[in-house]
Amino acid sequence: MNAKADDPKIIDGKAFAAGLRSKIATALADLKHKNGLVPGLAVVLVGEDPASQVYVRNKARQTVEVGMISFEHKLPVDTREEDVLELVERLNNDDRVHGILVQLPLPDQIDTNKVIGTIDPSKDVDGFNVINAGRLATGQDALVPCTPVGCVMLAKDRLGDLSGVNAVVVGRSNIVGKPVAQLLLKENCTVTIAHSRTKDLPGLCRTAELLIAAVGRPEMIRGDWIRPGACVIDVGINRIATDEGKTRLVGDGAFQEAYEVAGAITPVPGGVGPMTIACLLFNTVRAACVSANVDVPEILKSL
Ligand SMILES: NC(=O)c1ccc[n+]([C@@H]2O[C@H](COP(=O)([O-])OP(=O)(O)OC[C@H]3O[C@@H](n4cnc5c(N)ncnc54)[C@H](OP(=O)(O)O)[C@@H]3O)[C@@H](O)[C@H]2O)c1
């Protein structure tokens, strides 16, 4: 089934992300006018991974569209670790740059943790630095990974106050599962994190009023795993082969089955996916405001 954006069961991430970008553009015009502040986002890409190239191109385009400055650094696949670290240090010290994103995965000769650990935490708009992960885990202000922020924005937009909601997060990665669980805890959900060793995963999922799937296994979560009326946020992006010899994108949930049972559901594509870059721009505005000692614009505060 093709998800229709005007179907009330569908959580339209594409439309939500467009609305968020428009709010960011308004806030940026205001920041420029009142404070002379124009945030800059630097993206570092090492190598020529086709998917990463597409992401980086889209990030740069959307950065400029909302009114920020985009700095792109494309390095050859055989770049030495020390050269990447040196570039990150230079960006840390560049006042025009308020956000730094190093596109993952990095080639094997480069230690990802070392690179992420070198990014100034106040410019770490991907939120992967341990300082930001620690701040989030201890309930302090942090730059939080973009996809989890997007998931929680969509859930709050649909469900309103999440206080007391039974949430199950399937997946415990550092970039999605763990931070999304921390954010939901902050929203006062009762959170269970499931993973590959969880017993009776279908039974556990059936307890969820809010189910977040971040597994990376195509269509693993079936319709009879969903509690009737639940809100399902599907983070999965999996490319599978079709009978016609083509490929298509599917989520971690079996969409058609889950749709029948759920009260609300994100489609793949068009659900969580578009939120990631919009939240990256959001994080960059926040980082710029903190560094310039300026209040985050009102229009972005309620998010
Ligand atoms: N912009 C976006 O929308 C966006 C951003 C990031 C990721 N994604 C997508 O989100 C999905 C997850 O990404 P990720 O980076 O978090 O993946 P990941 O690092 O591979 O983590 C997957 C998690 O799922 C768990 N898992 C795997 N098989 C399982 C099973 N059979 N039963 C229960 N749990 C299982 C793993 O458990 P263990 O820890 O026990 O191994 C792990 O915690 C992928 O499809 C990815 O493409 C989308």
Side-chain angles (χ1 to χ4, degrees):
M1 175 186 134
N2 286 325
K4 290 201 176 61
D6 58 356
D7 179 337
K9 259 197 192 186
I10 297 295
I11 300 176
D12 185 352
K14 199 171 166 193
F16 192 98
L20 177 55
R21 286 197 304 275
S22 145
K23 281 184 186 174
I24 291 170
T26 304
L28 284 167
D30 209 40
L31 280 173
K32 187 175 178 182
H33 177 67
K34 289 194 185 137
N35 309 92
L37 178 63
V38 183
L41 172 64
V43 178
V44 178
L45 173 64
V46 186
E48 285 170 6
D49 176 65
S52 296
Q53 284 181 323
V54 174
Y55 289 139
V56 166
R57 208 177 312 132
N58 287 339
K59 282 168 188 167
R61 182 176 47 79
Q62 293 187 27
T63 301
V64 173
E65 273 172 10
V66 293
M68 292 197 275
I69 303 171
S70 165
F71 301 93
E72 270 184 82
H73 295 269
K74 292 184 177 161
L75 306 175
V77 69
D78 57 357
T79 303
R80 294 177 312 164
E81 180 182 279
E82 60 208 85
D83 293 330
V84 179
L85 296 175
E86 203 244 342
L87 171 60
V88 170
E89 291 286 13
R90 243 189 306 133
L91 297 172
N92 283 344
N93 294 318
D94 186 337
D95 292 341
R96 299 167 306 162
V97 173
H98 302 89
I100 302 170
L101 180 147
V102 178
Q103 186 66 42
L104 302 181
L106 287 167
D108 289 347
Q109 76 277 14
I110 300 170
D111 180 341
T112 301
N113 285 335
K114 214 164 170 184
V115 173
I116 302 298
T118 303
I119 298 173
D120 179 337
S122 68
K123 296 190 179 188
D124 168 38
V125 284
D126 244 348
F128 295 160
N129 184 296
V130 287
I131 299 286
N132 280 311
R135 283 188 184 147
L136 175 65
T138 51
Q140 301 177 58
D141 265 353
L143 285 166
V144 181
C146 307
T147 303
V149 171
C151 292
V152 174
M153 280 184 187
L154 292 179
K156 281 171 74 175
D157 184 59
R158 180 52 67 118
L159 298 177
D161 182 10
L162 297 182
S163 203
V165 167
N166 265 337
V168 172
V169 178
V170 190
R172 57 174 164 180
S173 72
N174 290 333
I175 63 168
V176 189
K178 279 181 199 147
V180 89
Q182 297 286 0
L183 283 174
L184 292 173
L185 202 53
K186 206 168 166 191
E187 294 295 331
N188 299 312
C189 290
T190 304
V191 185
T192 308
I193 307 177
H195 47 77
S196 63
R197 310 289 176 91
T198 297
K199 289 179 189 155
D200 186 19
L201 187 58
L204 178 67
C205 289
R206 273 192 291 272
T207 66
E209 293 164 293
L210 172 59
L211 180 64
I212 313 262
V215 196
R217 305 233 176 255
E219 302 180 319
M220 185 185 89
I221 292 173
R222 312 306 309 187
D224 63 358
W225 297 25
I226 313 277
R227 173 178 169 144
C231 176
V232 179
I233 307 281
D234 190 342
V235 187
I237 301 181
N238 311 288
R239 191 164 283 285
I240 61 164
T242 65
D243 294 340
E244 299 84 46
K246 295 184 178 161
T247 65
R248 67 185 176 100
L249 288 182
V250 297
D252 290 339
F255 182 81
Q256 180 60 55
E257 291 177 24
Y259 172 89
E260 302 295 337
V261 190
I265 184 165
T266 56
V268 178
V272 174
M275 293 298 292
T276 299
I277 299 182
C279 292
L280 171 70
L281 305 175
F282 175 68
N283 275 354
T284 308
V285 179
R286 284 187 53 213
C289 289
V290 171
S291 97
N293 207 10
V294 167
D295 272 351
V296 174
E298 208 55 47
I299 193 167
L300 299 180
K301 270 192 180 155
S302 60
L303 295 161

